[in-house]
Amino acid sequence: METLDQAPEEPTGKVAHSDEEWRKILTSEQYHILRESGTERPNGETYREFRQQSEGAYHCAGCGAMLFSSNEKFDSHCGWPSFYDPANAENVTTKRDESTGMLRIEVNCAKCEGHLGHVFEGEGFNTPTDQRYCINGVGLKFVPAH
Ligand code: FE
């Protein structure tokens, strides 16, 4: 997961690029997750980094929108970065995803529509919402609090 010294500029509206532009803006890994709804492998490098990060904000790697923060992060031991709520709900949307034949709720960036992961609920985690935003770390940029 890329770490930035300071927060990227917050997009003021929807962010749209052609497929060709996205391929230039994003690394091939980021492109696969954000634009092709890919899934990073569990317990990978970004998960290891996520577990070591302390306070800070998580921004969309596609457009810079602030999505999640360390305030809502928790360790679900599922192998992917987990949050019990977005930090800025305005920047996060959800929709039904039946692409695998099983109903899941997909989580997207509201500004660039990048695919972030899925949200699961009712799993019994001891968190304020009982929701697990299961997010691909590759689609995030971390800005440590100073
Ligand atoms: Fe975005």
Side-chain angles (χ1 to χ4, degrees):
M1 188 187 312
E2 203 176 325
T3 297
L4 304 175
D5 286 338
Q6 58 187 78
E9 203 175 319
E10 195 71 24
T12 51
K14 293 271 187 186
V15 175
H17 295 292
S18 68
D19 192 57
E20 198 183 340
E21 287 167 341
W22 279 124
R23 285 185 188 275
K24 285 181 193 156
I25 295 165
L26 303 172
T27 66
S28 57
E29 262 194 313
Q30 289 169 338
Y31 181 88
H32 178 60
I33 304 295
L34 292 166
R35 310 313 309 177
E36 298 181 318
S37 302
T39 301
E40 67 195 18
R41 70 180 176 86
N43 298 301
E45 178 69 10
T46 64
Y47 185 58
R48 193 187 61 76
E49 290 166 350
F50 177 76
R51 295 180 75 170
Q52 290 175 349
Q53 287 156 349
S54 58
E55 286 177 32
Y58 293 87
H59 292 254
C60 176
C63 72
M66 206 273 256
L67 306 171
F68 298 100
S69 90
S70 53
N71 295 333
E72 296 83 24
K73 120 183 202 181
F74 73 105
D75 193 356
S76 66
H77 300 277
C78 75
W80 290 277
S82 301
F83 303 88
Y84 64 75
D85 224 5
N88 187 355
E90 198 174 274
N91 285 344
V92 177
T93 56
T94 55
K95 65 182 180 204
R96 291 168 68 91
D97 170 15
E98 293 180 78
S99 61
T100 61
M102 173 180 72
L103 173 63
R104 288 180 300 169
I105 305 299
E106 180 180 354
V107 180
N108 296 83
C109 172
K111 294 292 164 66
C112 73
E113 292 174 16
H115 171 84
L116 303 170
H118 290 88
V119 58
F120 302 92
E121 61 183 6
E123 297 176 314
F125 287 106
N126 184 23
T127 60
T129 64
D130 201 16
Q131 289 188 318
R132 174 171 60 95
Y133 284 78
C134 181
I135 303 299
N136 293 286
V138 166
L140 300 173
K141 288 183 180 178
F142 180 62
V143 183
H146 292 293

